[in-house]
Amino acid sequence: QRFACAADAEAAWGDWRKTPAVSRALWTVTGEIVEDTTAETPIWTIQATRGATATDRFSAEHFRRSTFILVSNDARRTARELLEAYKTQWVVERDHALVKGPLAIAPLFLKDTGKITAYVYVVYMALLLWQCMQAVMRQNQARLGISLPYPNKRLQPAPTTKRLKEILTPIQILHWRDTHGAMHRSRSELSLTQRQALLLLGMDTRRFAQVPSG
């Protein structure tokens, strides 16, 4: 950038050195105001040079970037083993897209900040349950040696909760009371795939036919 006088260049240099980018820079920056005597009219420029490493800032930034907070209730693994297991579970990050998909956090018509916060907490609790269901399915897959098929009949290498939802959604459950006031419950006949899905989930298929309490 060119300046018409040395004072303007000095002011610009001082303002730039006060910016957050400079205050967080990992290197010291030095500069000087230089006059270009070859131009027809006097022109001043700033020549900035990156200097030595700002040791304190570099150490703080290194610590920030190398710190990874991972919360788990798995007491069997060390911190390193947990991190290694987490990095193999790329679906953990991918499945956050479910918040705007099957879990339907959007559209959001709430205006009160407290209600919005509560709603988001409920959605993320649903996401946690969604992921726990998937973990149970994969553990049972390894134990039972079965998996869920895609619509094209090809088996999933690892069953997903999304596919579970697609398989179980068509199940129709009816409730009615007879003339004596007794509650009855019935459902459509389960397909083999639906029974396998419930088996992986660890759910007894008879629960779909039981009369709800009360």
Side-chain angles (χ1 to χ4, degrees):
Q1 186 176 356
R2 299 181 178 185
F3 301 90
C5 64
D8 289 348
E10 289 282 2
W13 173 245
D15 291 342
W16 181 78
R17 288 179 60 84
K18 296 177 184 178
T19 61
V22 177
S23 63
R24 294 194 300 264
L26 302 183
W27 294 271
T28 58
V29 180
T30 58
E32 59 179 338
I33 310 303
V34 179
E35 180 182 1
D36 185 358
T37 58
T38 62
E40 296 181 1
T41 57
I43 295 176
W44 282 262
T45 59
I46 302 172
Q47 290 186 356
T49 304
R50 189 180 75 179
T53 301
T55 306
D56 54 341
R57 298 179 194 167
F58 192 89
S59 299
E61 182 66 12
H62 181 269
F63 178 78
R64 185 185 70 82
R65 297 190 182 188
S66 61
T67 301
F68 185 84
I69 299 175
L70 182 61
V71 180
S72 174
N73 61 355
D74 187 351
R76 298 170 301 173
R77 296 174 176 173
T78 64
R80 178 180 292 276
E81 290 172 341
L82 283 172
L83 182 59
E84 291 175 348
Y86 175 83
K87 288 187 174 182
T88 61
Q89 290 292 321
W90 52 271
V91 293
V92 173
E93 298 295 341
R94 186 201 64 184
D95 283 355
H96 273 79
L98 296 172
V99 173
K100 292 188 176 181
L103 299 183
I105 194 173
L108 185 64
F109 300 106
L110 301 176
K111 295 182 179 180
D112 182 81
T113 55
K115 292 181 179 179
I116 293 174
T117 301
Y119 180 70
V120 172
Y121 268 110
V122 170
V123 170
Y124 270 92
M125 288 173 63
L127 178 61
L128 177 61
L129 176 60
W130 182 277
Q131 299 289 13
C132 288
M133 290 168 61
Q134 184 167 269
V136 170
M137 292 168 60
R138 295 186 175 184
Q139 291 172 359
N140 287 332
Q141 179 204 28
R143 181 174 61 87
L144 301 174
I146 61 176
S147 187
L148 301 181
Y150 288 109
N152 62 4
K153 307 303 181 183
R154 185 168 62 89
L155 293 180
Q156 285 187 311
T160 62
T161 322
K162 180 180 179 181
R163 182 57 182 149
L164 174 73
K165 179 177 181 293
E166 294 171 349
I167 292 173
L168 298 186
T169 296
I171 298 177
Q172 296 182 355
I173 302 177
L174 303 178
H175 302 264
W176 77 93
R177 291 185 184 275
D178 59 22
T179 56
H180 302 287
M183 174 68 75
H184 297 272
R185 184 180 188 182
S186 65
R187 57 162 171 76
S188 55
E189 183 65 25
L190 297 179
S191 66
L192 175 60
T193 300
Q194 290 170 337
R195 292 180 181 275
Q196 289 177 329
L198 293 173
L199 183 62
L200 287 178
L201 195 58
M203 182 178 292
D204 190 342
T205 59
R206 292 175 296 179
R207 290 176 60 89
F208 281 83
Q210 292 176 350
V211 178
S213 60

